Amino acid sequence: MSSGRLGMGVDIGSTATKVAVVDADGGLVRTELMPTGFSSVDAAERARAVLEACKSDRHLCTPDVRVVATGYGRVAVPYADKVVTEITCHGRGAARLFGPEGTVIDVGGQDTKVIRLRAGRVAKFAMNDKCAAGTGRFLEVMADRLGVSQGELSALARAGEPTRISSMCTVFAESEVIGLVGRGEPRENIASGVVESVVARVATLAASSGAAAPYYLTGGLCDNGYVVERLAALLGAPVTTCPEARYAGALGAALTALDMG
């Protein structure tokens, strides 16, 4: 049973909204994942249910919850006590999960972030938020075009030989995939080319930002073993992740909320 104040982080991303709750000792006691949908405001209201549940949960022994909002839709959380940038929150959450030194790679729905950690703090970062190529959204679009789930896309990719996907833009790349399908290119090869396209762009961003091992993957692709494997191959070093890494931004926000006193 917990005692004292709770910290809650609400990370509203372009695709998914993540909620994390930590106890007075910083231990993770609850996580929630939900689609953001059309409206960040609506997503914030759905996340409010977690706050109310924490306040009324007698097993948590406290109705005292501080809330920090982060992510793409952070300004849409009216009940937040504070708003903090996603870079800061992802860095702090990853440091809690993996350690104070290394490079955090967060592949989100619409952007990719590379964050260098030193002594548990953000020392440097780079972000690709200008194009969806190299993001989870790119994989989602291509999986839809091939008529498979993202999990099935990775399974196909593992069995194929990569066909080059040259377009940098998601729209043009989708047209390129349509053309490959029309020419009879095996789905396995197209899927392999799609995954290689994403991990190559992520690895290039990491290299251009001066990233160095150890590497930690956060975000929605943390449970995609094939992407982790291919990213590690291109970076030339192991990439560590875990199921909780999807909540790194929300966890960092929750820990920040706990600090508010």
Side-chain angles (χ1 to χ4, degrees), residues 96-112:
R96 170 57 62 91
L97 291 170
F98 302 115
E101 306 288 335
T103 301
V104 182
I105 298 175
D106 179 75
V107 182
Q110 298 286 0
D111 63 36
T112 299

Side-chain angles (χ1 to χ4, degrees), residues 40-213:
S40 295
V41 173
D42 290 346
E45 284 307 302
R46 281 182 270 121
R48 190 197 287 268
V50 180
L51 173 62
E52 298 306 323
C54 288
K55 287 181 175 180
S56 61
D57 188 343
R58 56 190 175 85
H59 296 291
L60 294 176
C61 299
T62 176
D64 192 1
V65 187
R66 292 288 184 268
V67 180
V68 166
T70 191
Y72 156 87
R74 59 186 179 273
V75 297
V77 187
Y79 50 89
D81 298 294
K82 189 176 183 179
V83 170
V84 178
T85 68
E86 58 221 82
I87 297 295
T88 298
C89 290
H90 271 276
R92 185 167 185 181
R96 170 57 62 91
L97 291 170
F98 302 115
E101 306 288 335
T103 301
V104 182
I105 298 175
D106 179 75
V107 182
Q110 298 286 0
D111 63 36
T112 299
K113 297 176 279 291
V114 176
I115 306 168
R116 289 291 306 276
L117 295 177
R118 291 197 183 98
R121 295 182 176 274
V122 176
K124 185 179 180 181
F125 74 91
M127 179 185 293
N128 165 31
D129 59 356
K130 304 301 182 186
C131 177
T135 68
R137 176 60 181 164
F138 183 87
L139 286 179
E140 182 182 326
V141 169
M142 298 308 158
D144 286 346
R145 177 51 59 188
L146 292 174
V148 296
S149 68
Q150 286 201 47
E152 291 168 334
L153 180 77
S154 293
L156 285 171
R158 191 182 290 276
E161 292 294 329
T163 295
R164 178 174 170 78
I165 307 295
S166 59
S167 299
M168 294 291 291
C169 170
T170 300
V171 174
F172 292 149
E174 186 176 9
S175 296
E176 193 173 346
V177 166
I178 292 170
L180 289 168
V181 171
R183 292 198 296 272
E185 184 72 24
R187 285 199 308 173
E188 292 83 356
N189 293 354
I190 299 172
S192 183
V194 166
V195 172
E196 289 301 309
S197 175
V198 169
V199 296
R201 285 172 172 78
V202 173
T204 297
L205 179 65
S208 68
S209 67

